[in-house]
């Protein structure tokens, strides 16, 4: 009897423990009969879903907890398994007694009797809403972002997913513009007239609300706002839309910049619960990712199609837009004009005032061009100081008038730092359809016309002429021939003596490149040197001149011919090469020459542009003992403030001054000033282009010591120079006559 009593007590204890285990867990447990009708549920089921055993007794659970967004296919699968009396697992969206959605993971096991028949079914349901919320919401939003869906579609999706998970919430997402104003990008469930009323508000207004302890963001109760507040003014509108409260949070970028706002609206007074907070956390992060990605895409598109400095369309964008305009012009049979603009002397602005000032000038020119555009016209920047304007419905007369207006607008003074600069532009005009039917034809034709305008004196315009195209083709052939001439050593050096005026002695010789071509004949130096610069061959040409001149001077020394030194012109491009000082030193060593045997002639731009390697090379070659001469002194932006600090040995007075010495008092005054500057700084002055004895006498009176020009001798070959030297023995103070050619 005692043993039976003990067994009964033990059984009751076990029953109590099992009851505790079933009821005190957060997991929902439900037992049904073989037909799936509810027989038992634990307290965890009631806590999770709100249903009691009285509510569920005799009912099929799936029929009670399914709702609007329950997946129909998943629900049908559950019922099929129950009908088949099979154990199964599933994840499915259900609804609690209040209509709140939640995701569950359900495990249903079949209980069978000794005959193998199903007598009961035991279900264990676990709430996986948090996991599923992150999984579904993030998966859908990230998938949309990854396939580069429009930003509005991504935001609408986030709003709808949040509202599906929490039906009591209505969501809006707004972005902030550069003016601090908010604009809706997602609010699918808010009334359209309310959305329109809220668009354009400033963030300062939008941040009104109450700080709730433990709740990030701002909480607004519409009926409690004062009539004078931002929300107070909109209370009636919100209440008319059935909105009682709003909880909003800022959307921030990774670096803390405010990108927009996320707002949850409630139709009843309902403080955000844990689910809402988690939804907001996930949504804010997704919105931030989508907005930052959209900003990056816009930046990439802008970099791809717009000039980063001026904001104008770049070449690729300009070409694409012009192609569209040309199609329209052809269909409507309307003319169109392409203007190619190049700023005059822009390099000198950079050299004199620095590149930041040059950038300021380019931006100002871009602004002025925009002001001159019609509704369908476009302007773009190609590169450097080159701009293009495309004028629609514009014939030749209209193009000239518009061009003059643009040039006048550009010419208005610009303040760069403390200096006032008056920019000008040279413009080439090509017309559709006369000069081409595509941008690929019109643009180079306008470019050719621009170069003709610049060659005519700058601040001019020129309309394309077919003859220009023929000239361009000839230039292309000439450039190709020059490249071959450099590779096969077809050029020659001629030498022009530099004569001391006091005694007629030889000061030195200047090496000058000459090119005689079988087809083109004697090509003027100014032409093939310009071709070398444009075609990227100038450094090769300079190195050839340097090597050839040094080799020839070495040969003269071997023959005991008294040539004090040879002068060689070096372009600014070549002078900026870091390897130049080493190349010069090696060339002198290869030919057994001293540093003093060589004089390098450079332009003033090399002296003024302190930001390049050319400036450093000045000091480097000077330290070797090589002489430096400023060529064409007085024709550019001469800077006396730099001159006295530069390692320069001589100044070359440009021939433009010398030619007018006899007839122009101003030329004589300027020439005298240059020679005085040279003398005061201990520099020699060489006058170029001396052709008459009267010019020589004026130069001598003003203190000029050395001259070169046709009065003494033309540039000549090395052999002819030796013969000329044998006959050149003038007495001091005697008249000079034109030497041999």
């Amino acid at each position: 009897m005692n043993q039976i009593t003990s067994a009964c007590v033990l059984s009751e204890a076990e029953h109590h423990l099992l009851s505790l285990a079933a009821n005190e867990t957060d997991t929902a447990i439900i037992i049904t009969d073989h037909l799936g009708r509810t027989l038992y549920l634990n307290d965890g089921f009631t806590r999770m879903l709100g249903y009691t055993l009285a509510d569920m007794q005799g009912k099929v659970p799936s029929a009670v907890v399914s709702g609007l967004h329950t997946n129909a296919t998943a629900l049908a699968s559950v019922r099929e398994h129950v009908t088949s009396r099979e154990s199964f697992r599933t994840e499915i969206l259900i609804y609690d007694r209040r209509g709140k959605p939640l995701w569950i993971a359900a495990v249903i096991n079949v209980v069978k009797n000794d005959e193998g028949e199903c007598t009961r079914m035991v279900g264990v349901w676990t709430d996986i809403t948090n996991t599923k919320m992150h999984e579904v919401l993030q998966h859908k939003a990230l998938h949309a972002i990854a396939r580069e869906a429009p930003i509005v579609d991504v935001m609408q999706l986030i709003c709808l997913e949040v509202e599906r998970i929490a039906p009591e919430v209505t969501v809006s997402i707004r972005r902030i513009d550069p003016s601090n104003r908010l604009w809706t990008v997602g609010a699918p469930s808010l009334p359209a007239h309310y959305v329109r009323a809220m668009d354009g508000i400033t963030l300062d207004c939008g941040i009104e609300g109450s700080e709730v302890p433990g709740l990030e963001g701002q909480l607004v109760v519409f009926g409690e706002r004062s009539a004078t507040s931002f929300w107070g003014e909109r209370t009636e509108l919100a209440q008319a839309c059935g909105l009682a409260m709003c909880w909003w949070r800022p959307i921030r970028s990774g670096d803390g910049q405010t990108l927009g706002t996320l707002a949850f609206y409630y139709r009843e007074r309902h403080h955000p619960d844990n689910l809402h907070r988690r939804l907001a956390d996930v949504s804010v992060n997704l919105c931030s990712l989508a907005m930052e990605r959209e900003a990056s895409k816009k930046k990439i598109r802008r970099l791809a199609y717009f000039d980063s400095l001026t904001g104008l369309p770049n070449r690729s964008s300009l070409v694409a837009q012009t192609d569209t305009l040309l199609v329209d012009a052809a269909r409507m049979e309307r003319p169109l004009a392409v203007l190619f603009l190049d700023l005059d002397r822009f390099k000198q602005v950079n050299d004199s005032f620095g590149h930041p000032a040059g950038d300021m000038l380019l931006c100002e020119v871009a602004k002025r061009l925009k002001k001159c555009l019609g509704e369908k016209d476009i302007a773009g920047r190609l590169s450097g100081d080159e701009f293009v304007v495309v004028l629609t419905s514009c014939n030749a007369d209209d193009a000239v008038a518009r061009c003059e207006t643009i040039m006048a607008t550009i010419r208005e003074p610009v303040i760069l730092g403390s200096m006032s600069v008056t920019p000008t532009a040279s413009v080439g005009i090509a017309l559709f359809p006369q000069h081409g039917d595509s941008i690929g034809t019109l643009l180079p034709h306008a470019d050719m016309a621009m170069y003709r305008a610049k060659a005519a004196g700058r601040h001019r315009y020129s309309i394309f002429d077919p003859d220009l195209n023929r000239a361009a083709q000839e230039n292309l052939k000439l450039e190709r021939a020059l490249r071959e001439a450099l590779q096969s050593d077809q050029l020659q050096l001629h030498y022009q003596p530099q004569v001391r005026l006091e005694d007629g002695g030889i000061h030195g010789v200047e090496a000058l490149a000459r090119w005689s071509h079988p087809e083109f004949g004697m090509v003027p130096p100014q032409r093939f040197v310009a071709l070398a610069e444009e075609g990227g061959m100038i450094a090769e040409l300079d190195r050839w001149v340097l090597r050839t001149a040094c080799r020839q001077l070495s040969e003269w020394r071997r023959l005991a011919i008294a040539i004090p030194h040879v002068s060689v012109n070096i372009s600014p491009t070549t002078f900026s090469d870091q390897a130049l000082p080493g190349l010069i030193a090696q060339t002198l060593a290869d030919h057994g020459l001293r540093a003093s045997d060589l004089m390098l002639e450079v332009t003033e731009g090399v002296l003024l542009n302190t930001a390049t390697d050319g400036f450093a090379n000045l000091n480097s070659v000077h330290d070797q003992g090589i002489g430096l001469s400023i060529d064409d002194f007085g024709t550019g932006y001469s800077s006396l403030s730099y001159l006295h600090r530069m390692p320069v040995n001589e100044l070359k007075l440009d021939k433009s001054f010398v030619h007018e010495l006899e007839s122009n008092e101003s030329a004589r005054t300027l020439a005298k000033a240059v020679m005085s500057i040279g003398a005061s700084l201990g520099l020699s002055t060489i006058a170029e282009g001396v052709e008459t004895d009267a010019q020589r006498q004026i130069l001598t009176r003003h203190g000029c010591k050395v001259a070169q020009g046709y009065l003494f001798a033309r540039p000549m070959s090395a052999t002819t120079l030796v013969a000329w030297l044998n006959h050149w023995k003038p007495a001091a103070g005697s008249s000079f006559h034109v030497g041999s050619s």
Side-chain angles (χ1 to χ4, degrees):
M1 182 66 180
N2 291 337
Q3 290 179 345
I4 294 174
T5 303
S6 176
C8 290
V9 171
L10 186 61
S11 177
E12 290 174 1
E14 288 179 342
H15 176 77
H16 177 67
L17 291 174
L18 287 172
S19 178
L20 284 175
N23 288 317
E24 297 306 319
T25 180
D26 287 335
T27 302
I29 300 175
I30 185 167
I31 300 176
T32 70
D33 63 16
H34 67 288
L35 297 176
R37 295 172 299 199
T38 303
L39 299 174
Y40 166 84
L41 53 82
N42 71 341
D43 292 348
F45 191 98
T46 302
R47 287 193 296 272
M48 181 185 294
L49 297 168
Y51 293 107
T52 65
L53 180 58
D55 298 322
M56 299 291 295
Q57 188 81 42
K59 297 177 181 178
V60 176
S62 62
V64 177
V65 300
S66 60
L68 179 63
H69 296 290
T70 301
N71 187 280
T73 302
L75 189 61
S77 176
V78 168
R79 290 171 176 168
E80 182 180 344
H81 284 298
V82 171
T83 302
S84 302
R85 317 299 193 260
E86 296 175 345
S87 298
F88 65 94
R89 296 169 180 266
T90 188
E91 291 182 0
I92 191 169
L93 176 71
I94 64 173
Y95 290 82
D96 67 11
R97 188 169 187 169
R98 295 169 298 173
K100 177 182 175 181
L102 68 157
W103 281 89
I104 63 164
V107 178
I108 312 299
N109 289 315
V110 173
V111 179
K112 298 180 179 180
N113 59 19
D114 294 341
E115 286 74 29
E117 297 172 337
C118 173
T119 60
R120 300 284 187 271
M121 303 183 78
V122 180
V124 180
W125 298 2
T126 304
D127 184 354
I128 60 168
T129 302
N130 288 340
T131 303
K132 203 67 179 178
M133 174 185 68
H134 285 76
E135 179 183 319
V136 174
L137 178 58
Q138 287 192 349
H139 173 75
K140 288 186 176 181
L142 292 175
H143 179 68
I145 293 171
R147 61 184 174 84
E148 297 192 349
I151 186 72
V152 172
D153 291 354
V154 175
M155 298 308 180
Q156 295 280 80
L157 183 150
I158 293 173
C159 292
L160 291 171
E161 282 299 308
V162 171
E163 292 168 357
R164 184 175 66 81
I165 295 170
E168 67 277 12
V169 169
T170 303
V171 186
S172 80
I173 301 170
R174 297 183 176 95
R175 64 171 178 82
I176 190 169
D177 69 12
S179 300
N180 215 35
R181 295 185 177 276
L182 292 168
W183 302 93
T184 303
V185 288
S189 303
L190 281 175
H193 67 282
Y194 181 80
V195 172
R196 288 194 297 270
M198 297 299 293
D199 274 345
I201 66 171
T202 63
L203 188 59
D204 292 339
C205 294
I207 61 173
E208 288 190 9
S210 302
E211 293 278 358
V212 179
L215 182 65
E216 184 180 354
Q218 300 286 332
L219 192 67
V220 179
V221 181
F222 294 124
E224 296 179 354
R225 311 309 297 173
S226 67
T228 58
S229 72
F230 169 80
W231 288 109
E233 294 174 356
R234 290 159 175 79
T235 290
E236 291 185 4
L237 177 61
Q239 291 176 329
C241 294
L243 305 175
M245 294 177 59
C246 172
W247 173 51
W248 72 268
R249 290 176 53 179
I251 300 168
R252 303 190 190 280
S253 63
D255 59 4
Q257 180 184 358
T258 301
L259 303 175
T261 61
L262 170 77
F264 285 5
Y265 289 88
Y266 300 87
R267 298 187 180 277
E268 297 178 358
R269 292 198 177 188
H270 184 293
H271 274 231
D273 58 23
N274 288 333
L275 174 63
H276 301 153
R277 297 182 191 195
R278 290 193 295 270
L279 283 169
D281 288 340
V282 174
S283 300
V284 163
N285 289 335
L286 290 170
C287 290
S288 174
L289 177 64
M291 288 179 173
E292 287 195 278
R293 185 178 178 88
E294 181 70 10
S296 296
K297 285 164 59 179
K298 287 182 178 178
K299 184 176 181 180
I300 291 170
R301 283 196 297 268
R302 188 159 189 84
L303 290 173
Y305 296 110
F306 292 89
D307 173 51
S308 59
L309 177 65
T310 64
L312 292 177
N314 60 15
R315 179 184 287 271
S316 59
S317 178
L318 181 77
V319 168
Q321 292 184 57
T322 305
D323 281 340
T324 301
L325 293 179
L326 286 168
V327 170
D328 292 341
R331 186 180 68 253
M332 304 295 291
E333 296 185 351
R334 291 177 178 172
L336 179 146
V338 175
L339 277 58
F340 194 113
L341 294 83
D342 185 273
L343 298 185
D344 298 326
R345 301 186 185 277
F346 177 71
K347 184 179 183 301
Q348 292 174 340
V349 172
N350 274 338
D351 291 344
S352 301
F353 304 111
H355 288 280
D359 289 346
M360 287 175 59
L361 178 58
L362 292 174
C363 290
E364 181 59 31
V365 169
K367 290 179 184 177
R368 295 178 181 186
L369 287 177
K370 290 178 184 178
K371 292 179 182 178
C372 298
L373 298 181
E375 182 180 354
K376 294 185 178 180
D377 301 336
I378 56 175
R381 181 186 177 210
L382 295 189
S383 63
D385 59 341
E386 296 177 341
F387 297 85
V388 170
V389 175
V390 181
L391 304 175
T392 57
S393 300
C394 189
N395 59 28
D397 292 339
D398 294 335
V400 168
R402 295 284 300 278
C403 178
E404 290 175 342
T405 299
I406 291 171
M407 292 172 67
T409 303
I410 291 175
R411 200 180 186 190
E412 294 173 5
V414 179
I415 302 299
L416 301 179
S418 59
M419 300 292 292
S420 176
V421 174
T422 301
T424 61
S426 299
V427 185
I429 303 172
L431 302 170
F432 168 83
Q434 302 96 302
H435 302 146
D437 57 4
S438 70
I439 188 62
T441 303
L442 291 168
L443 197 58
H445 285 175
D447 188 12
M448 293 177 198
M450 181 277 295
Y451 273 107
R452 184 168 69 174
K454 194 174 284 287
R458 294 183 169 84
H459 189 52
R460 297 170 184 260
Y461 65 84
S462 174
I463 298 178
F464 174 75
D465 186 324
D467 288 341
L468 293 175
N469 201 23
R470 288 188 287 273
Q473 294 298 321
E474 183 178 333
N475 269 353
L476 192 60
K477 288 178 60 178
L478 199 60
E479 182 180 322
R480 192 178 300 115
L482 177 59
R483 199 175 300 277
E484 294 173 357
L486 283 168
Q487 293 171 353
S488 56
D489 202 21
Q490 295 176 9
L491 278 71
Q492 304 88 37
L493 273 191
H494 282 194
Y495 302 88
Q496 187 171 34
Q498 298 169 337
V499 177
R500 296 194 301 269
L501 295 181
E502 60 181 358
D503 61 6
I506 302 302
H507 173 76
V509 296
E510 180 179 2
L512 300 164
R514 294 293 184 264
W515 181 26
S516 177
H517 188 269
E519 179 182 350
F520 301 111
M522 286 298 299
V523 183
Q526 59 268 30
R527 186 173 185 189
F528 71 76
V529 170
L531 279 176
E533 289 177 339
E534 293 170 9
M537 297 176 281
I538 191 64
E540 185 179 358
L541 176 60
D542 285 346
R543 289 193 294 268
W544 176 84
V545 172
L546 177 66
R547 289 194 304 268
T548 305
C550 288
R551 183 171 61 248
Q552 183 58 62
L553 183 60
S554 176
E555 176 65 15
W556 283 331
R557 293 286 168 79
R558 189 182 66 81
L559 297 174
I561 297 172
I563 303 291
H565 69 261
V566 62
S567 293
V568 174
N569 285 279
I570 299 293
S571 71
T573 301
T574 305
F575 215 91
S576 296
D577 185 354
Q578 292 181 344
L580 180 65
L583 173 67
I584 294 173
Q586 186 61 51
T587 302
L588 291 172
D590 289 345
H591 295 94
L593 299 176
R594 301 185 304 272
S596 58
D597 293 331
L598 180 65
M599 178 73 71
L600 298 182
E601 296 189 9
V602 297
T603 61
E604 294 174 65
V606 174
L607 301 178
L608 294 173
N609 195 352
T610 59
T612 66
D613 290 325
F615 184 73
N617 286 347
L618 282 172
N619 292 301
S620 181
V621 297
H622 180 264
D623 291 343
Q624 294 181 36
I626 297 166
L628 289 168
S629 174
I630 302 180
D631 196 17
D632 301 333
F633 185 78
T635 60
Y637 276 74
S638 302
S639 180
L640 303 183
S641 62
Y642 286 141
L643 188 59
H644 79 280
R645 290 184 280 128
M646 297 299 166
V648 175
N649 300 86
E650 68 180 28
L651 307 177
K652 295 197 76 174
L653 180 65
D654 187 68
K655 59 186 177 183
S656 62
F657 293 111
V658 174
H659 288 171
E660 297 186 23
L661 285 177
E662 298 175 67
S663 58
N664 191 314
E665 180 61 32
S666 296
R668 289 192 291 272
T669 301
L670 288 171
K672 182 179 179 181
V674 170
M675 287 180 278
S676 297
I677 290 169
S680 64
L681 295 176
L683 307 177
S684 300
T685 301
I686 298 180
E688 294 183 296
V690 180
E691 297 183 354
T692 68
D693 197 57
Q695 292 170 352
R696 177 193 66 81
Q697 292 179 33
I698 294 171
L699 290 167
T700 302
R701 285 201 304 271
H702 290 315
C704 183
K705 304 297 184 183
V706 182
Q708 69 182 89
Y710 289 179
L711 176 65
F712 314 109
R714 296 175 180 271
M716 61 194 92
S717 67
T719 303
T720 305
L721 177 65
V722 172
W724 178 87
L725 286 171
N726 291 331
H727 295 87
W728 178 256
K729 297 184 183 299
S734 64
S735 296
F736 295 88
H737 303 283
V738 176
S740 305
S741 59

